[in-house]
Amino acid sequence: MKSIMVELTDSTNIARAYAYQPIAWSMGGTLGPLIGGSLARPAERFPELFGNNDFLKKYPYFLPCAVPATYTAIAWLITFLCLKETLKSPISISQLFKFRKDQDHKVVKGDIRSREPRTLQGHDEEQPLPLCDLLTPRVLLAAGNYAGLSLVDIAFRAIQPLFLSTPIAFGGLGLSPSVIGKILSAYGICNGVFQVFFFSSIHDHFGSKKTFVVGIACAFPCFIAFPIINAIAKSQGVTTIVWAVVAFQALISIGLNLSYGEDKEE
């Protein structure tokens, strides 16, 4: 999808296009936690509907897994049938894995042209570039930035629900799945609104590098907030102060998503 976005845009509108892309991500970030939190342990939460269902008693997390899995299958089917290829001269799967070596001069061993070095400037725009031509210093730097950003962001997103569900005595906050789902859903809504209405303006005002650095820097208060939340919860319980810090952590983590847009700009 990121490659398709690049092929459909140029330097004049790519920032705005990537500002709208998080809408889909935020919808998933909003609906996913709601579905997971609401449908977890349905036999206990909805005894009048699922109280006699032995299967859901044995597998209390089947529904929150089955619903998004079904949606994913439908999305894949729609994409497979309806999404149009943006590349003007795509290669087939057989050519990609070199199953049909006699079909293209790029994979025929005896063709001298296939051995000639190709550069970004001299390569035909209608044909896909070979991997060696793509590994320029700028591409490697952007890929490295993206890898570091993904590591930090995914680590935080994985730790956050685990921390919120872990009992206070063991270093967490001890919240129920439904409450955690509502917190993550509220984050998804705020993130979507922020990205759509503010990302493009922030990028145009500060530029790619500064916005990327600020986005990465947002990870520090996000991680520092975990022990602070637990310390307050241990001493005072789950009070208004705890909820205020949880809200601050969720809001400041929106800044991490700014870096995704800036890394694509590079």
Side-chain angles (χ1 to χ4, degrees):
M1 183 56 67
K2 297 171 186 176
S3 299
I4 293 176
M5 293 292 290
V6 171
E7 292 170 356
L8 291 175
T9 57
D10 54 35
S11 58
T12 63
N13 55 15
I14 188 172
R16 184 169 297 276
Y18 274 118
Y20 288 106
Q21 188 179 6
I23 294 177
W25 181 273
S26 298
M27 287 180 61
T30 302
L31 298 177
L34 278 179
I35 293 173
S38 300
L39 298 182
R41 301 175 180 176
E44 299 177 9
R45 290 178 52 81
F46 309 104
E48 65 280 0
L49 294 177
F50 306 107
N52 297 324
N53 194 310
D54 294 333
F55 178 82
L56 293 179
K57 289 181 179 179
K58 184 176 181 181
Y59 302 101
Y61 296 100
F62 173 79
L63 277 184
C65 293
V67 171
T70 303
Y71 174 82
T72 301
I74 295 174
W76 178 89
L77 183 62
I78 294 175
T79 302
F80 180 77
L81 296 176
C82 302
L83 183 63
K84 295 182 179 180
E85 177 60 64
T86 56
L87 188 62
K88 295 181 179 179
S89 301
I91 61 175
S92 64
I93 296 178
S94 59
Q95 290 174 336
L96 178 64
F97 292 99
K98 298 183 179 181
F99 291 148
R100 297 168 59 185
K101 297 185 179 182
D102 58 338
Q103 296 295 320
D104 195 294
H105 71 277
K106 297 193 295 288
V107 295
V108 175
K109 295 182 179 179
D111 196 330
I112 298 177
R113 289 176 297 175
S114 63
R115 302 178 185 179
E116 294 177 354
R118 288 173 288 186
T119 63
L120 292 175
Q121 293 78 12
H123 186 73
D124 184 3
E125 294 182 356
E126 298 292 326
Q127 299 295 332
L129 288 169
L131 180 61
C132 59
D133 287 350
L134 292 175
L135 298 179
T136 62
R138 290 190 64 186
V139 171
L140 292 175
L141 180 61
N145 287 336
Y146 192 87
L149 170 63
S150 300
L151 176 63
V152 173
D153 185 43
I154 294 174
F156 173 74
R157 305 300 173 194
I159 293 173
Q160 186 182 25
L162 181 62
F163 168 81
L164 294 175
S165 62
T166 301
I168 296 177
F170 295 104
L173 198 54
L175 301 179
S176 64
S178 60
V179 174
I180 296 173
K182 293 176 182 178
I183 293 174
L184 299 181
S185 295
Y187 157 79
I189 295 173
C190 294
N191 178 55
V193 172
F194 183 85
Q195 295 293 332
V196 170
F197 291 102
F198 298 104
F199 170 78
S200 182
S201 300
I202 291 173
H203 169 268
D204 293 340
H205 183 75
F206 294 103
S208 297
K209 182 178 179 180
K210 289 183 180 179
T211 309
F212 180 83
V213 172
V214 171
I216 289 290
C218 290
F220 290 100
C222 289
F223 284 102
I224 293 174
F226 286 127
I228 295 176
I229 293 172
N230 179 254
I232 299 174
K234 282 184 177 179
S235 61
Q236 303 179 12
V238 183
T239 61
T240 304
I241 299 178
V242 171
W243 288 115
V245 181
V246 170
F248 168 79
Q249 183 191 50
L251 291 175
I252 201 69
S253 68
I254 294 175
L256 276 170
N257 294 298
L258 291 175
S259 297
Y260 280 106
E262 297 313 316
D263 196 63
K264 295 160 189 170
E265 291 289 319
E266 299 295 334

